[in-house]
Every structure is written in C-alpha cells, then in structure tokens.
Amino acid sequence: MSEITLSAYLAFYLYLIMLLVQWAVATFSKAKEPNAVPGKISEDLSHNSFIFRAHRTFHNTLENSALFIGTVLLAFVINYQSPIFSMCIWVYLIARLIHMALYYAIATEDNPSPRSYFFLIGVLANIVMLVMIGLKLIT
C-alpha cells in the first residue's frame, strides 16, 4: 500500500473515531442530566448549555457526513490516489476537529461564529475532492 493511500485511509479512520467520540460526548452528557429522556433534548436549551452544543456538534457532523463519506468512499472504490486528495481528507478532518472543539468550548449565538470558518474550510475541502473525482472520471 502506498504512503498516499495509507495516509488517506488513516485520516478517514480518524474521522470515524471523531464521529464516535462526538456521539459518546452527546449521549453521555445528556444521560447524566436528571430526568433525561432517551433521544430527546429539552427545547429550552440553547448554546449556553453544553448538552445542546454537544448534541448540535454531533448532528452537524452527521449532516455533513453523507457527502464526505460518499466522496471518500467513491475515491477508494475507483482507486483514486492523489497526494492533493489525501491532503484534502486531512484538511477536512482537522477543520471538523477544530469545529468540534470550538462548538464544545464557545457558547455563542453569533452568526458567523468562530466555528463557522472551520465549517466552511471543511466544505471547501469536500468540494475540491468532488471536483478532483469528477475530473478523474471524465478523463
């Protein structure tokens, strides 16, 4: 296995671990609350609540996972190996990790918030990967 492929696989693996960690943080932070109801958070919660932020962090990642996972798996299926593509996976992962950390740490209703910039970096990395796959498929 080439170093490029291994790097892409490792970044994708770490993304899946990040997703698992976000699920655990959201689930266990909520479960510790008195009178917690499985699968439901109080509508009274907002960004000043860590439970709300952990829940939104996980769900925001889920909302973006389909496109990212689909993009990466398509590249793996067509055996697309590119240092730039691998770097984009890492950029996406790092952007999502920073987004997660900022969402956990900063209780703000501001838009855009500091985490918004890292969300956009992740989206741009995903768009670059999609364009690269598209160019590969038509050539």
Side-chain angles (χ1 to χ4, degrees), residues 66-129:
L67 181 61
F68 174 71
I69 291 171
T71 301
V72 172
L73 290 181
L74 177 58
F76 290 168
V77 166
I78 65 171
N79 199 28
Y80 184 56
Q81 298 179 24
S82 158
I84 295 172
F85 191 89
S86 181
M87 184 180 68
C88 285
I89 298 173
W90 281 102
V91 167
Y92 186 89
L93 170 65
I94 292 166
R96 293 305 302 180
L97 284 168
I98 295 170
H99 176 271
M100 174 184 78
L102 290 173
Y103 221 148
Y104 287 162
I106 300 173
T108 181
E109 302 280 337
D110 292 342
N111 193 13
S113 73
R115 69 181 180 269
S116 301
Y117 301 109
F118 294 96
F119 169 83
L120 289 173
I121 290 168
V123 169
L124 290 173
N126 212 138
I127 290 169
V128 169
M129 289 187 289

Side-chain angles (χ1 to χ4, degrees), residues 3-109:
E3 286 185 36
I4 293 168
T5 303
L6 183 58
S7 177
Y9 286 176
L10 179 60
F12 187 64
Y13 171 76
L14 292 174
Y15 178 80
L16 295 174
I17 296 297
M18 181 195 72
L19 195 57
L20 178 65
V21 167
Q22 287 182 3
W23 167 81
V25 169
T27 297
F28 294 113
S29 66
K30 184 182 140 323
K32 289 192 300 187
E33 286 298 299
N35 303 320
V37 176
K40 183 177 179 187
I41 67 167
S42 172
E43 292 180 14
D44 298 332
L45 298 179
S46 187
H47 285 89
N48 61 348
S49 164
F50 181 79
I51 292 169
F52 175 86
R53 294 192 316 273
H55 176 79
R56 282 304 312 143
T57 300
F58 177 57
H59 281 268
N60 185 269
T61 298
L62 286 179
E63 292 162 1
N64 292 279
S65 285
L67 181 61
F68 174 71
I69 291 171
T71 301
V72 172
L73 290 181
L74 177 58
F76 290 168
V77 166
I78 65 171
N79 199 28
Y80 184 56
Q81 298 179 24
S82 158
I84 295 172
F85 191 89
S86 181
M87 184 180 68
C88 285
I89 298 173
W90 281 102
V91 167
Y92 186 89
L93 170 65
I94 292 166
R96 293 305 302 180
L97 284 168
I98 295 170
H99 176 271
M100 174 184 78
L102 290 173
Y103 221 148
Y104 287 162
I106 300 173
T108 181
E109 302 280 337

Side-chain angles (χ1 to χ4, degrees), residues 125-138:
N126 212 138
I127 290 169
V128 169
M129 289 187 289
L130 282 170
V131 168
M132 291 177 74
I133 290 173
L135 292 172
K136 174 69 175 173
L137 291 173
I138 62 172

